[in-house]
Amino acid sequence: MKAVTTSGWGLSAKLVLENIPAPTRLGPNDVLVQVHAASVNPKDWKLNYHAAVAFTPLLVSKLPPFFGDDLAGVIIDKGSKVRDFEIGDAVYGMDMRPRTASLAERTRIDQKRIAKKPPSLTFQQAASMPLAAQTALQGLKKGKAEAGKTVLIIGASGGVGTFAVQIAKAMGLNVTGVCSGRNADFVRELGADEIIDYTQGDYRKTAGSFDLVFDVTSYESPLSCDELIGDDGWFISTGGDARSMLVTPFYRVFGKHCGTVVVESWKRDLETLSELVESGKLRPIIDSVFSLAESQEAYDRSRTGRCRGKVVIEVIPEG
């Protein structure tokens, strides 16, 4: 089968499309998915890419593919204990283990990490959701989000942010989105009640206080956002930046409400997202679509930090 691996050494390594053996051995709880689409997340080029190139090129041929967490596709085989899914079911999901390997024509995944694809979504739309939308959902829950409360979403126009704005509105929160001025109308269309243009000054000193500050960029910390966090309020980060990850536990020791969301894929959360999609309260936003052979270009696009929504990789063309 065709799958994305690496070629070259260290920082000069590039993603390439190669023919490798298809997965053959399934665990009792695994399904084998014919992948139709995958998507790119910052985790892919912050963690998986660097883990893979550490083995390039001497060992990479002996390892399963590293690349891709999100997937949408069709089940073509299943393990002996799989009861909730049948061969032919269209599914979506992801696994946070380092080698989900959704940038491939076929991959295996545990049944507890997937759900049936929302009927109204294309495979590309569904593939854009699992990691980013579950991060948004789980982050809001961790920050004690409830109807009537106020939430500030930092990075509202990006992959996680576009989902966070919509899910927060569906939960009944008053949403303020932080984005650049060029994305203000876009974020407002997603449901944000107020917009803060971060290019117009340091909003962290002037925006007031919120019940929940949700930083989906991972670049802020409870220290930098201290004046934004209301009495008994929460600060939640998606992690990934060293300063934020170091300061957050320090604040927690002193009784502050703060934490980092470490996303996991669960069937129940995917089904919650599917219900929001089918009720018209949630829609995926796709920034751009690349072919499997263009995975390097897809990663490069994600690295710019200028994406409006998710970068999707097409494995099987729609239609």
Side-chain angles (χ1 to χ4, degrees):
M1 70 172 184
K2 291 184 172 63
V4 170
T5 62
T6 56
S7 175
W9 286 94
L11 296 177
S12 65
K14 296 292 184 182
L15 301 184
V16 295
L17 192 61
E18 294 187 344
N19 284 306
I20 67 170
T24 55
R25 185 180 302 173
L26 295 181
N29 291 299
D30 288 342
V31 297
L32 182 63
V33 177
Q34 182 179 40
V35 181
H36 283 235
S39 69
V40 180
N41 299 285
K43 171 184 178 285
D44 297 328
W45 46 267
K46 287 181 178 180
L47 177 61
N48 292 23
Y49 177 79
H50 293 291
V53 299
F55 296 107
T56 303
L58 297 179
L59 298 179
V60 72
S61 63
K62 301 183 183 300
L63 295 169
F66 267 88
F67 301 102
D69 288 308
D70 296 325
L71 65 82
V74 175
I75 294 175
I76 56 176
D77 198 2
K78 65 176 189 173
S80 60
K81 293 185 179 180
V82 176
R83 298 289 182 263
D84 294 336
F85 301 96
E86 300 296 336
I87 293 173
D89 283 347
V91 297
Y92 76 127
M94 63 116 185
D95 196 334
M96 283 296 286
R97 293 173 296 181
R99 301 190 186 113
T100 307
S102 62
L103 297 191
E105 292 179 321
R106 297 182 179 187
T107 195
R108 57 186 162 221
I109 188 168
D110 192 293
Q111 63 175 335
K112 69 184 178 183
R113 306 297 186 182
I114 59 173
K116 291 181 180 178
K117 181 180 75 68
S120 64
L121 296 185
T122 66
F123 284 106
Q124 291 180 12
Q125 290 172 320
S128 75
M129 289 185 58
L131 191 148
Q134 287 187 101
T135 298
L137 178 64
Q138 292 168 19
L140 289 165
K141 289 180 178 179
K142 190 166 188 174
K144 309 301 180 185
E146 297 176 353
K149 288 189 175 182
T150 58
V151 58
L152 179 73
I153 298 172
I154 303 172
S157 63
V160 176
T162 56
F163 289 115
V165 169
Q166 296 177 80
I167 295 169
K169 284 304 297 180
M171 295 171 70
L173 281 81
N174 184 282
V175 179
T176 298
V178 178
C179 60
S180 65
R182 71 183 183 90
N183 286 321
D185 289 341
F186 166 65
V187 173
R188 193 174 284 109
E189 289 171 3
L190 293 175
D193 300 285
E194 303 290 340
I195 301 294
I196 294 175
D197 180 355
Y198 69 83
T199 69
Q200 298 302 305
D202 190 355
Y203 66 90
R204 296 170 299 181
K205 307 298 182 183
T206 60
S209 61
F210 299 84
D211 296 311
L212 170 59
V213 176
F214 190 7
D215 173 33
V216 303
T217 70
S218 82
Y219 294 127
E220 301 294 345
S221 72
L223 178 62
S224 66
C225 293
D226 186 63
E227 294 183 40
L228 295 170
I229 306 168
D231 295 338
D232 206 35
W234 278 79
F235 174 88
I236 299 294
S237 172
T238 53
D241 181 76
R243 291 170 299 176
S244 176
M245 295 181 73
L246 289 172
V247 171
T248 297
F250 177 80
Y251 260 60
R252 197 160 51 238
V253 167
F254 290 94
K256 300 290 186 179
H257 297 318
C258 55
T260 301
V261 56
V262 180
V263 65
E264 285 281 359
S265 187
W266 301 113
K267 183 172 179 281
R268 63 178 181 272
D269 282 347
L270 291 167
E271 289 175 341
T272 295
L273 296 171
S274 295
E275 290 171 4
L276 291 173
V277 167
E278 294 306 308
S279 67
K281 295 178 181 178
L282 182 64
R283 61 186 176 96
I285 306 298
I286 294 179
D287 173 85
S288 48
V289 179
F290 296 83
S291 70
L292 191 60
E294 297 171 324
S295 293
Q296 181 67 57
E297 289 85 345
Y299 272 49
D300 292 342
R301 172 61 185 166
S302 178
R303 278 194 186 95
T304 66
R306 301 298 180 187
C307 298
R308 181 183 282 191
K310 290 296 299 294
V311 176
V312 170
I313 295 178
E314 178 184 72
V315 180
I316 296 178
E318 294 284 355

